[in-house]
Short mmCIF file of all heavy atoms in Angstrom, two decimals:
data_model
loop_
_atom_site.label_atom_id
_atom_site.label_comp_id
_atom_site.label_asym_id
_atom_site.label_seq_id
_atom_site.Cartn_x
_atom_site.Cartn_y
_atom_site.Cartn_z
N SER A 1 3.47 1.10 6.63
CA SER A 1 4.46 2.23 6.57
C SER A 1 5.59 1.83 5.54
O SER A 1 5.81 0.71 5.12
CB SER A 1 5.11 2.54 7.86
OG SER A 1 5.84 1.35 8.40
N LEU A 2 6.28 2.83 5.07
CA LEU A 2 7.33 2.72 4.12
C LEU A 2 8.66 3.14 4.75
O LEU A 2 8.66 4.15 5.43
CB LEU A 2 7.10 3.53 2.88
CG LEU A 2 5.68 3.33 2.23
CD1 LEU A 2 5.65 4.32 1.01
CD2 LEU A 2 5.46 1.95 1.77
N THR A 3 9.76 2.44 4.49
CA THR A 3 11.02 2.93 5.01
C THR A 3 12.04 2.71 3.89
O THR A 3 11.84 2.05 2.96
CB THR A 3 11.63 2.05 6.13
OG1 THR A 3 11.87 0.62 5.65
CG2 THR A 3 10.61 1.88 7.27
N ASP A 4 13.00 3.70 3.97
CA ASP A 4 14.19 3.55 3.01
C ASP A 4 15.47 3.50 3.81
O ASP A 4 15.76 4.36 4.66
CB ASP A 4 14.23 4.90 2.18
CG ASP A 4 15.25 4.91 1.11
OD1 ASP A 4 16.01 3.93 1.05
OD2 ASP A 4 15.22 5.80 0.24
N GLY A 5 16.08 2.32 3.71
CA GLY A 5 17.33 2.18 4.49
C GLY A 5 17.01 2.10 6.00
O GLY A 5 17.91 2.51 6.73
N GLY A 6 15.91 1.67 6.43
CA GLY A 6 15.56 1.66 7.80
C GLY A 6 14.90 2.94 8.47
O GLY A 6 14.50 2.90 9.50
N THR A 7 14.81 3.98 7.63
CA THR A 7 14.29 5.26 8.10
C THR A 7 12.90 5.42 7.51
O THR A 7 12.71 5.25 6.23
CB THR A 7 15.12 6.51 7.59
OG1 THR A 7 16.45 6.31 8.06
CG2 THR A 7 14.48 7.86 8.15
N VAL A 8 11.92 5.60 8.37
CA VAL A 8 10.49 5.81 7.87
C VAL A 8 10.40 6.99 6.97
O VAL A 8 10.90 8.09 7.31
CB VAL A 8 9.46 5.90 9.16
CG1 VAL A 8 8.02 6.23 8.59
CG2 VAL A 8 9.59 4.75 10.06
N ILE A 9 9.74 6.75 5.87
CA ILE A 9 9.46 7.83 4.89
C ILE A 9 8.39 8.74 5.44
O ILE A 9 7.32 8.18 5.74
CB ILE A 9 9.24 7.31 3.54
CG1 ILE A 9 10.45 6.48 2.94
CG2 ILE A 9 8.85 8.42 2.51
CD1 ILE A 9 10.11 5.70 1.72
N ALA A 10 8.62 10.05 5.53
CA ALA A 10 7.67 11.02 6.07
C ALA A 10 6.43 10.88 5.42
O ALA A 10 6.31 10.91 4.24
CB ALA A 10 8.24 12.42 6.06
N GLY A 11 5.30 10.82 6.19
CA GLY A 11 3.95 10.82 5.69
C GLY A 11 3.50 9.45 5.15
O GLY A 11 2.37 9.37 4.69
N SER A 12 4.29 8.43 5.18
CA SER A 12 3.99 7.12 4.63
C SER A 12 3.17 6.28 5.61
O SER A 12 2.56 5.31 5.09
CB SER A 12 5.25 6.40 4.18
OG SER A 12 5.91 5.94 5.27
N GLU A 13 3.23 6.43 6.84
CA GLU A 13 2.50 5.51 7.77
C GLU A 13 1.07 5.79 7.78
O GLU A 13 0.57 6.94 7.92
CB GLU A 13 3.10 5.65 9.18
CG GLU A 13 2.59 4.59 10.07
CD GLU A 13 3.31 4.50 11.42
OE1 GLU A 13 4.45 4.89 11.53
OE2 GLU A 13 2.66 3.99 12.40
N LYS A 14 0.27 4.81 7.51
CA LYS A 14 -1.22 4.84 7.57
C LYS A 14 -1.78 3.77 8.47
O LYS A 14 -1.31 2.51 8.26
CB LYS A 14 -1.71 4.80 6.13
CG LYS A 14 -1.28 5.87 5.25
CD LYS A 14 -1.77 5.74 3.80
CE LYS A 14 -1.27 6.87 2.96
NZ LYS A 14 -1.85 6.72 1.56
N THR A 15 -2.77 4.14 9.19
CA THR A 15 -3.54 3.01 9.90
C THR A 15 -4.87 2.94 9.19
O THR A 15 -5.57 4.02 9.03
CB THR A 15 -3.71 3.30 11.33
OG1 THR A 15 -2.50 3.31 11.97
CG2 THR A 15 -4.65 2.23 12.05
N LEU A 16 -5.21 1.77 8.60
CA LEU A 16 -6.35 1.62 7.75
C LEU A 16 -7.35 0.67 8.27
O LEU A 16 -6.98 -0.31 8.92
CB LEU A 16 -5.90 1.11 6.33
CG LEU A 16 -4.79 1.94 5.73
CD1 LEU A 16 -4.26 1.17 4.41
CD2 LEU A 16 -5.25 3.32 5.27
N GLU A 17 -8.62 0.88 7.98
CA GLU A 17 -9.72 -0.09 8.29
C GLU A 17 -10.02 -0.80 6.96
O GLU A 17 -10.41 -0.14 6.01
CB GLU A 17 -10.99 0.62 8.84
CG GLU A 17 -10.79 1.13 10.22
CD GLU A 17 -10.57 0.08 11.32
OE1 GLU A 17 -11.12 -1.01 11.27
OE2 GLU A 17 -9.70 0.42 12.23
N VAL A 18 -9.78 -2.07 6.98
CA VAL A 18 -9.89 -2.85 5.72
C VAL A 18 -10.82 -4.05 6.01
O VAL A 18 -10.98 -4.46 7.18
CB VAL A 18 -8.51 -3.31 5.12
CG1 VAL A 18 -7.68 -2.12 4.75
CG2 VAL A 18 -7.84 -4.25 6.01
N GLU A 19 -11.22 -4.68 5.01
CA GLU A 19 -12.02 -5.81 5.17
C GLU A 19 -11.08 -6.97 5.67
O GLU A 19 -10.04 -7.14 5.02
CB GLU A 19 -12.64 -6.27 3.85
CG GLU A 19 -13.57 -7.44 3.87
CD GLU A 19 -14.24 -7.83 2.55
OE1 GLU A 19 -14.52 -6.88 1.87
OE2 GLU A 19 -14.34 -8.98 2.32
N ALA A 20 -11.46 -7.74 6.69
CA ALA A 20 -10.60 -8.80 7.22
C ALA A 20 -10.42 -9.78 6.02
O ALA A 20 -11.31 -10.14 5.42
CB ALA A 20 -11.38 -9.53 8.42
N GLY A 21 -9.13 -10.16 5.87
CA GLY A 21 -8.79 -11.11 4.83
C GLY A 21 -8.61 -10.46 3.49
O GLY A 21 -8.26 -11.05 2.51
N ALA A 22 -8.54 -9.04 3.46
CA ALA A 22 -8.24 -8.32 2.21
C ALA A 22 -6.88 -8.59 1.79
O ALA A 22 -5.91 -8.84 2.58
CB ALA A 22 -8.44 -6.78 2.53
N ASN A 23 -6.74 -8.53 0.48
CA ASN A 23 -5.47 -8.76 -0.16
C ASN A 23 -4.53 -7.56 0.01
O ASN A 23 -4.95 -6.43 -0.29
CB ASN A 23 -5.75 -9.03 -1.57
CG ASN A 23 -4.64 -9.11 -2.57
OD1 ASN A 23 -3.84 -8.20 -2.75
ND2 ASN A 23 -4.47 -10.32 -3.19
N LEU A 24 -3.29 -7.70 0.45
CA LEU A 24 -2.35 -6.61 0.66
C LEU A 24 -2.16 -5.85 -0.49
O LEU A 24 -2.11 -4.63 -0.53
CB LEU A 24 -1.02 -7.16 1.37
CG LEU A 24 0.07 -6.07 1.47
CD1 LEU A 24 -0.46 -4.96 2.34
CD2 LEU A 24 1.29 -6.71 1.95
N LEU A 25 -1.86 -6.57 -1.67
CA LEU A 25 -1.69 -5.83 -2.87
C LEU A 25 -2.78 -4.83 -3.29
O LEU A 25 -2.56 -3.76 -3.69
CB LEU A 25 -1.32 -6.70 -4.04
CG LEU A 25 -0.97 -6.15 -5.37
CD1 LEU A 25 0.21 -5.18 -5.29
CD2 LEU A 25 -0.72 -7.17 -6.41
N ALA A 26 -4.06 -5.35 -3.13
CA ALA A 26 -5.18 -4.54 -3.53
C ALA A 26 -5.31 -3.34 -2.52
O ALA A 26 -5.56 -2.30 -2.96
CB ALA A 26 -6.52 -5.38 -3.41
N VAL A 27 -5.01 -3.56 -1.28
CA VAL A 27 -5.05 -2.42 -0.25
C VAL A 27 -3.96 -1.44 -0.57
O VAL A 27 -4.25 -0.18 -0.46
CB VAL A 27 -4.85 -2.97 1.23
CG1 VAL A 27 -4.69 -1.85 2.18
CG2 VAL A 27 -6.16 -3.78 1.49
N MET A 28 -2.81 -1.94 -1.03
CA MET A 28 -1.67 -0.98 -1.33
C MET A 28 -2.17 -0.09 -2.53
O MET A 28 -1.89 1.08 -2.48
CB MET A 28 -0.40 -1.72 -1.74
CG MET A 28 0.25 -2.33 -0.50
SD MET A 28 0.79 -1.19 0.78
CE MET A 28 2.01 -0.34 -0.18
N LYS A 29 -2.79 -0.71 -3.54
CA LYS A 29 -3.13 -0.02 -4.66
C LYS A 29 -4.25 1.04 -4.42
O LYS A 29 -4.37 2.01 -5.05
CB LYS A 29 -3.69 -0.98 -5.79
CG LYS A 29 -2.58 -1.75 -6.42
CD LYS A 29 -3.17 -2.75 -7.45
CE LYS A 29 -2.10 -3.48 -8.17
NZ LYS A 29 -2.60 -4.44 -9.17
N GLU A 30 -5.06 0.70 -3.39
CA GLU A 30 -6.14 1.66 -3.00
C GLU A 30 -5.73 2.89 -2.23
O GLU A 30 -6.32 3.86 -2.20
CB GLU A 30 -7.19 0.91 -2.21
CG GLU A 30 -8.06 -0.12 -2.98
CD GLU A 30 -8.95 -0.82 -2.10
OE1 GLU A 30 -9.01 -0.73 -0.88
OE2 GLU A 30 -9.48 -1.88 -2.54
N ASN A 31 -4.47 2.67 -1.48
CA ASN A 31 -4.09 3.68 -0.59
C ASN A 31 -2.73 4.34 -0.95
O ASN A 31 -2.31 5.28 -0.20
CB ASN A 31 -4.07 3.03 0.79
CG ASN A 31 -5.38 2.73 1.32
OD1 ASN A 31 -6.16 3.52 1.80
ND2 ASN A 31 -5.70 1.45 1.29
N TYR A 32 -2.06 3.82 -1.91
CA TYR A 32 -0.67 4.35 -2.25
C TYR A 32 -0.72 4.33 -3.83
O TYR A 32 -1.51 3.61 -4.43
CB TYR A 32 0.43 3.44 -1.77
CG TYR A 32 0.54 3.43 -0.26
CD1 TYR A 32 -0.09 2.52 0.55
CD2 TYR A 32 1.45 4.31 0.36
CE1 TYR A 32 0.04 2.48 1.86
CE2 TYR A 32 1.60 4.38 1.77
CZ TYR A 32 0.86 3.49 2.51
OH TYR A 32 1.06 3.41 3.87
N THR A 33 0.22 5.10 -4.42
CA THR A 33 0.48 5.05 -5.81
C THR A 33 1.49 3.96 -5.99
O THR A 33 2.60 4.07 -5.60
CB THR A 33 0.98 6.46 -6.26
OG1 THR A 33 0.03 7.47 -6.01
CG2 THR A 33 1.16 6.43 -7.87
N ILE A 34 1.12 2.95 -6.78
CA ILE A 34 1.96 1.76 -7.02
C ILE A 34 2.31 1.65 -8.50
O ILE A 34 1.44 1.84 -9.32
CB ILE A 34 1.14 0.51 -6.64
CG1 ILE A 34 0.78 0.56 -5.14
CG2 ILE A 34 1.96 -0.77 -6.85
CD1 ILE A 34 1.83 0.68 -4.13
N GLU A 35 3.52 1.30 -8.74
CA GLU A 35 3.99 0.86 -10.06
C GLU A 35 4.49 -0.54 -9.88
O GLU A 35 5.17 -0.87 -8.94
CB GLU A 35 5.17 1.75 -10.51
CG GLU A 35 4.77 3.23 -10.70
CD GLU A 35 5.92 4.17 -11.20
OE1 GLU A 35 6.85 3.56 -11.88
OE2 GLU A 35 5.89 5.32 -10.75
N GLU A 36 4.15 -1.34 -10.94
CA GLU A 36 4.50 -2.78 -10.99
C GLU A 36 5.18 -3.13 -12.23
O GLU A 36 5.01 -2.51 -13.39
CB GLU A 36 3.30 -3.65 -10.89
CG GLU A 36 2.52 -3.59 -9.61
CD GLU A 36 1.22 -4.37 -9.69
OE1 GLU A 36 1.40 -5.54 -9.36
OE2 GLU A 36 0.15 -3.85 -10.05
N ALA A 37 6.04 -4.15 -12.10
CA ALA A 37 6.64 -4.85 -13.33
C ALA A 37 6.80 -6.36 -13.10
O ALA A 37 7.36 -6.67 -12.05
CB ALA A 37 7.95 -4.23 -13.70
N ASP A 38 6.26 -7.11 -13.97
CA ASP A 38 6.36 -8.54 -13.83
C ASP A 38 5.87 -9.08 -12.52
O ASP A 38 6.45 -9.99 -11.94
CB ASP A 38 7.83 -8.99 -14.08
CG ASP A 38 8.34 -8.57 -15.51
OD1 ASP A 38 7.57 -8.71 -16.47
OD2 ASP A 38 9.53 -8.21 -15.62
N GLY A 39 4.79 -8.44 -12.02
CA GLY A 39 4.23 -8.93 -10.79
C GLY A 39 4.95 -8.44 -9.56
O GLY A 39 4.55 -8.80 -8.37
N PHE A 40 5.90 -7.69 -9.65
CA PHE A 40 6.66 -7.07 -8.48
C PHE A 40 6.38 -5.56 -8.46
O PHE A 40 6.32 -4.85 -9.39
CB PHE A 40 8.15 -7.23 -8.64
CG PHE A 40 8.55 -8.65 -8.51
CD1 PHE A 40 8.74 -9.44 -9.69
CD2 PHE A 40 8.73 -9.25 -7.33
CE1 PHE A 40 9.14 -10.80 -9.64
CE2 PHE A 40 9.13 -10.67 -7.24
CZ PHE A 40 9.25 -11.40 -8.44
N ILE A 41 6.32 -5.03 -7.20
CA ILE A 41 6.23 -3.57 -6.97
C ILE A 41 7.50 -2.94 -7.18
O ILE A 41 8.45 -3.32 -6.60
CB ILE A 41 5.58 -3.29 -5.56
CG1 ILE A 41 4.13 -3.76 -5.41
CG2 ILE A 41 5.70 -1.76 -5.20
CD1 ILE A 41 3.61 -3.60 -4.08
N THR A 42 7.56 -1.96 -8.03
CA THR A 42 8.85 -1.26 -8.37
C THR A 42 8.93 0.11 -7.80
O THR A 42 9.95 0.62 -7.69
CB THR A 42 9.12 -1.29 -9.92
OG1 THR A 42 7.94 -0.57 -10.55
CG2 THR A 42 9.15 -2.59 -10.48
N ALA A 43 7.73 0.65 -7.48
CA ALA A 43 7.66 2.04 -6.80
C ALA A 43 6.35 2.16 -6.02
O ALA A 43 5.36 1.54 -6.29
CB ALA A 43 7.76 3.11 -7.93
N ILE A 44 6.58 2.81 -4.88
CA ILE A 44 5.44 3.20 -3.98
C ILE A 44 5.54 4.69 -3.73
O ILE A 44 6.58 5.15 -3.26
CB ILE A 44 5.49 2.35 -2.73
CG1 ILE A 44 5.63 0.89 -2.84
CG2 ILE A 44 4.30 2.71 -1.80
CD1 ILE A 44 5.87 0.01 -1.69
N ASP A 45 4.46 5.42 -4.02
CA ASP A 45 4.38 6.82 -3.88
C ASP A 45 5.59 7.52 -4.39
O ASP A 45 6.17 8.40 -3.67
CB ASP A 45 4.13 7.10 -2.30
CG ASP A 45 2.62 6.95 -1.91
OD1 ASP A 45 1.84 6.66 -2.77
OD2 ASP A 45 2.33 7.07 -0.76
#
């Protein structure tokens, strides 16, 4: 899930079935719109 200042962002919570041991960054890229800079996530959805 995603929060902004402690408040859950509407529609952001997802329960996903993933491969055990899957990489969080890869799962995020598959299920959310991600922007990155210098290896850091700068925007999600």
Side-chain angles (χ1 to χ4, degrees):
S1 61
L2 312 176
T3 67
D4 185 355
T7 303
V8 176
I9 297 171
S12 72
E13 188 169 336
K14 298 180 182 182
T15 299
L16 307 169
E17 290 296 322
V18 300
E19 184 177 325
N23 173 295
L24 174 58
L25 182 59
V27 169
M28 290 298 295
K29 288 179 177 180
E30 290 172 10
N31 294 281
Y32 295 88
T33 303
I34 302 295
E35 293 178 34
E36 296 177 85
D38 300 322
F40 293 97
I41 292 178
T42 58
I44 305 173
D45 280 355

